[in-house]
Amino acid sequence: MEKLDLNASKEKGACHFSERYKQVYLPLTYSLIFILGLALNGAVLWLSCCQTKPWSCATIYLMNLMVADLLYILSLPFLIITYAVGDTWFFGEALCKLVRFLFYTNLYSSILLLTCISVHRFLGVCHPLSSLSYQSRRHAWQAAAAAWILVVLQLLPTLVFSNTAYVNGRVICYDTTSPKNFDHFFPYSMVLTLSGFVFPSLIILVCYSLMLRSLTYPADTLPKTGDMVRSKSIRTILLVCSLFALCFVPFHIARCFFLVIRFWNPQDCQLLSTASMVYKICRPLVSMSSCLNPILYFLSRGNNRAQLLQKLRQNKEGEHPTGGVQGAPKARQISALPG
């Protein structure tokens, strides 16, 4: 899809090399992510909309994550078809821009929403009383809306940089931008990496460091619910750190390496080929976060998973509570996501 993406941004000495591995690796990985992500995110959204009212603050953030994941997952069939037929784009320039925009929207909205979850947990653990007025559903919706607005504003230039071109007898859709615009795309990409990944990661790192320091205090110094607070907080820390380590960190390191090599040393075709391969191998890792975010949702519920399965079994058998008295506590209990 991006044969010219491998060319140097300079006019002379462009590099050309084969990327046939993409025609097998990317369709397979994207197909698996599409199937798992669609099922998991769809199930989480259905369960939350039909079974859990009212939502907790953490649930609000996670539901926004699910929406971002679904929007991106629904764009994957276009990429699967394109890579499977040898990097030929059949769907026009508008869809090319939209698919690229949705990829980065999913990436950076996921990072910002995970940052919101981390800050929320940090306030609940380290400043439970002074932050009580800020830990409301209204503030959670406002924070989620602010994250979406910030991400969209940051990514508007991608709608300009992403485009199609007719190359070697077929139409391609650039992953980054065309060679003639790369000198402008490079600084934008570096700034986006700092604002969309590095700064939020530092915020998460600081929050979790302070949380771990508080959680290492003796148990008798915490309130009566200290053990529950510890387990929920440690589980959140492990899950979010695993997401970053597996999905976001390798991708950004590989992407920055590829872009820097392409910008500063485009004549070294062997190095550029290696950097491009590593970048494209790491790219599905970001998409894999769409499958792991729902797991974050389910694992965060602890013992409520058994109650959730029981509720689903009752719905399937048509055993709905008539008076709503028995069902209401379950709904409230299920919605008690660690927040």
Side-chain angles (χ1 to χ4, degrees):
M1 182 184 300
E2 44 190 321
K3 182 67 71 175
L4 284 184
D5 227 21
L6 304 172
N7 293 344
S9 59
K10 314 302 180 185
E11 293 183 359
K12 296 182 179 180
C15 296
H16 301 272
F17 40 85
S18 174
E19 291 185 305
R20 292 186 177 180
Y21 65 91
K22 293 193 306 182
Q23 299 177 21
V24 177
Y25 171 69
L26 292 180
L28 285 177
T29 53
Y30 283 149
S31 296
L32 180 61
I33 290 168
F34 174 77
I35 295 171
L36 291 177
L38 188 62
L40 291 173
N41 285 277
V44 168
L45 279 177
W46 181 84
L47 291 173
S48 298
C49 292
C50 299
Q51 305 294 330
T52 61
K53 296 288 183 176
W55 287 354
S56 68
C57 294
T59 303
I60 291 172
Y61 295 129
L62 286 172
M63 287 309 98
N64 279 272
L65 265 179
M66 302 304 110
V67 171
D69 290 341
L70 277 177
L71 288 175
Y72 171 64
I73 288 169
L74 293 176
S75 72
L76 283 180
F78 299 105
L79 296 178
I80 295 170
I81 294 172
T82 297
Y83 286 122
V85 298
D87 286 6
T88 303
W89 183 259
F90 298 109
F91 309 106
E93 185 161 309
L95 273 176
C96 171
K97 293 177 180 292
L98 180 61
V99 167
R100 299 310 184 190
F101 180 79
L102 288 177
F103 170 79
Y104 290 106
T105 299
N106 171 254
L107 168 60
Y108 292 112
S109 63
S110 295
I111 292 174
L112 276 185
L113 289 168
L114 289 172
T115 304
C116 291
I117 294 174
S118 303
V119 172
H120 180 76
R121 292 300 306 152
F122 161 74
L123 293 175
V125 170
C126 299
H127 304 282
L129 297 180
S130 59
S131 66
L132 194 59
S133 60
Y134 298 101
Q135 299 192 54
S136 65
R137 285 178 290 167
R138 180 171 65 89
H139 285 97
W141 280 114
Q142 290 174 347
W148 279 106
I149 293 172
L150 180 60
V151 167
V152 169
L153 290 177
Q154 285 180 311
L155 294 178
L156 285 177
T158 63
L159 295 175
V160 178
F161 285 119
S162 299
N163 54 10
T164 59
Y166 193 75
V167 179
N168 295 330
R170 67 179 187 274
V171 178
I172 64 170
C173 173
Y174 288 112
D175 170 50
T176 53
T177 191
S178 60
K180 66 178 181 180
N181 293 325
F182 184 77
D183 289 341
H184 300 289
F185 176 82
F186 178 76
Y188 162 72
S189 180
M190 294 298 104
V191 171
L192 180 62
T193 300
L194 288 174
S195 62
F197 171 69
V198 175
F199 292 159
S201 298
L202 291 177
I203 293 173
I204 291 175
L205 183 62
V206 170
C207 288
Y208 286 169
S209 298
L210 296 174
M211 285 173 63
L212 287 174
R213 188 178 67 175
S214 297
L215 293 170
T216 54
Y217 289 158
D220 55 5
T221 64
L222 290 176
K224 187 176 296 186
T225 57
D227 291 338
M228 183 179 298
V229 172
R230 288 173 189 269
S231 62
K232 288 180 178 180
S233 301
I234 291 174
R235 189 160 57 237
T236 302
I237 291 173
L238 291 176
L239 290 171
V240 174
C241 288
S242 298
L243 268 173
F244 270 77
L246 181 62
C247 300
F248 302 138
V249 173
F251 169 79
H252 281 92
I253 292 176
R255 185 171 186 267
C256 287
F257 178 63
F258 168 61
L259 294 178
V260 168
I261 294 300
R262 183 179 165 188
F263 184 78
W264 291 107
N265 193 20
Q267 309 304 322
D268 191 338
C269 293
Q270 182 175 359
L271 182 60
L272 187 62
S273 174
T274 302
S276 174
M277 179 180 296
V278 173
Y279 164 57
K280 291 176 176 63
I281 290 175
C282 289
R283 199 164 59 192
L285 293 178
V286 174
S287 304
M288 194 167 61
S289 67
S290 300
C291 301
L292 298 180
N293 287 332
I295 296 176
L296 172 67
Y297 173 88
F298 284 113
L299 291 181
S300 297
R301 293 180 172 277
N303 294 330
N304 289 326
R305 290 191 297 274
Q307 297 174 348
L308 186 62
L309 292 175
Q310 182 180 1
K311 185 70 175 177
L312 287 174
R313 192 178 300 113
Q314 291 176 351
N315 287 345
K316 184 176 181 180
E317 296 173 357
E319 299 176 3
H320 302 286
T322 56
V325 177
Q326 294 179 346
K330 288 184 179 181
R332 288 193 297 269
Q333 199 172 17
I334 291 173
S335 67
L337 190 72

